[in-house]
Amino acid sequence: MDNLYKGPEIKPGYLGKGTIVYEPISPLSLTQRLGRLRYACYQFCSSLIAILLMALSWVVSASPAVPAWLGYLVTGVVALLAIVYLTGLMVRRLHDIERSGWWTLLVLVPGINLPFQLYLYLADGSSMMNRYGTPNPPPGALVKVFGGLFWVWNVLVLTFLTALVFLQWWQPDWIAGALERLPLGSIPRLPVGQQYH
């Protein structure tokens, strides 16, 4: 028997006249689109969970009753799952910008990986439907707070690192001079020519 009080089912998509029915957001999906703040928020949460799980495995494996290889195994599995999930987040972010997920391979290219990650944080996603689905619904308060803070932190760090890499490439003498002006002991010297026993 049909429920008379239930409205008609509306599938996610563009209904015309600027109206979009958003598809429900799933943090574990590897196929949906992902806006900038949700991308930063999901990265922060997944990285924090992975770090806590790895730290817990190290603490537990320090016990004499637990074999050391078990700690290494748990750490490896958590790290692998984190890499897969973070790669999926990048694919979803690229879908929001109307780019193919294959662009994630740019993370493996030295010299391009930092500007590419900065691009993922700064690029504006399409506000309407694209070939990858509907945009995200407006973010909630927690996504705005945690995603916003992590977004600002990552943009600042990636901008600094990108500038440092390009300065080292184009002006290595300038970087060497700046490092020499630092106070003694702030940068540890590498022991060259010493043998370790």
Side-chain angles (χ1 to χ4, degrees):
M1 180 174 190
D2 290 337
N3 185 349
L4 299 176
Y5 298 102
K6 186 178 177 185
E9 290 219 9
I10 301 175
K11 292 184 178 178
Y14 179 59
L15 298 182
K17 298 182 182 175
T19 305
I20 294 178
V21 176
Y22 300 109
E23 62 183 307
I25 294 292
S26 169
L28 297 177
S29 169
L30 296 177
T31 59
Q32 294 178 332
R33 291 171 54 180
L34 205 56
R36 285 180 285 206
L37 285 182
R38 276 196 174 84
Y39 175 63
C41 186
Y42 291 179
Q43 269 193 330
F44 170 73
C45 292
S46 58
S47 300
L48 182 64
I49 290 169
I51 289 169
L52 290 175
L53 286 174
M54 285 189 228
L56 180 63
S57 73
W58 295 335
V59 169
V60 170
S61 65
S63 168
V66 178
W69 64 265
L70 188 60
Y72 295 129
L73 179 67
V74 171
T75 301
V77 168
V78 169
L80 183 64
L81 290 174
I83 289 169
V84 168
Y85 185 70
L86 291 172
T87 303
L89 291 181
M90 276 192 270
V91 169
R92 291 173 66 183
R93 181 70 190 114
L94 285 165
H95 287 175
D96 194 51
I97 311 167
E98 293 195 67
R99 301 281 184 262
S100 168
W102 288 104
W103 279 50
T104 54
L105 295 176
L106 291 177
V107 171
L108 303 174
V109 181
I112 296 177
N113 52 4
L114 292 175
F116 171 67
Q117 291 181 54
L118 190 59
Y119 168 75
L120 290 178
Y121 281 104
L122 297 177
D124 194 16
S126 58
S127 59
M128 298 300 286
M129 278 197 65
N130 65 22
R131 60 187 169 140
Y132 299 105
T134 63
N136 295 159
L142 286 176
V143 172
K144 285 181 182 177
V145 170
F146 290 110
L149 290 173
F150 200 62
W151 183 88
V152 168
W153 169 258
N154 277 336
V155 166
L156 291 175
V157 167
L158 287 169
T159 302
F160 173 76
L161 290 176
T162 303
L164 195 62
V165 165
F166 282 114
L167 278 174
Q168 177 63 29
W169 190 25
W170 282 319
Q171 297 291 329
D173 296 334
W174 186 84
I175 294 289
L179 290 175
E180 287 176 1
R181 287 192 292 273
L182 290 174
L184 287 175
S186 59
I187 298 178
R189 295 198 177 271
L190 296 175
V192 178
Q194 295 182 9
Q195 294 186 357
Y196 296 96
H197 301 287

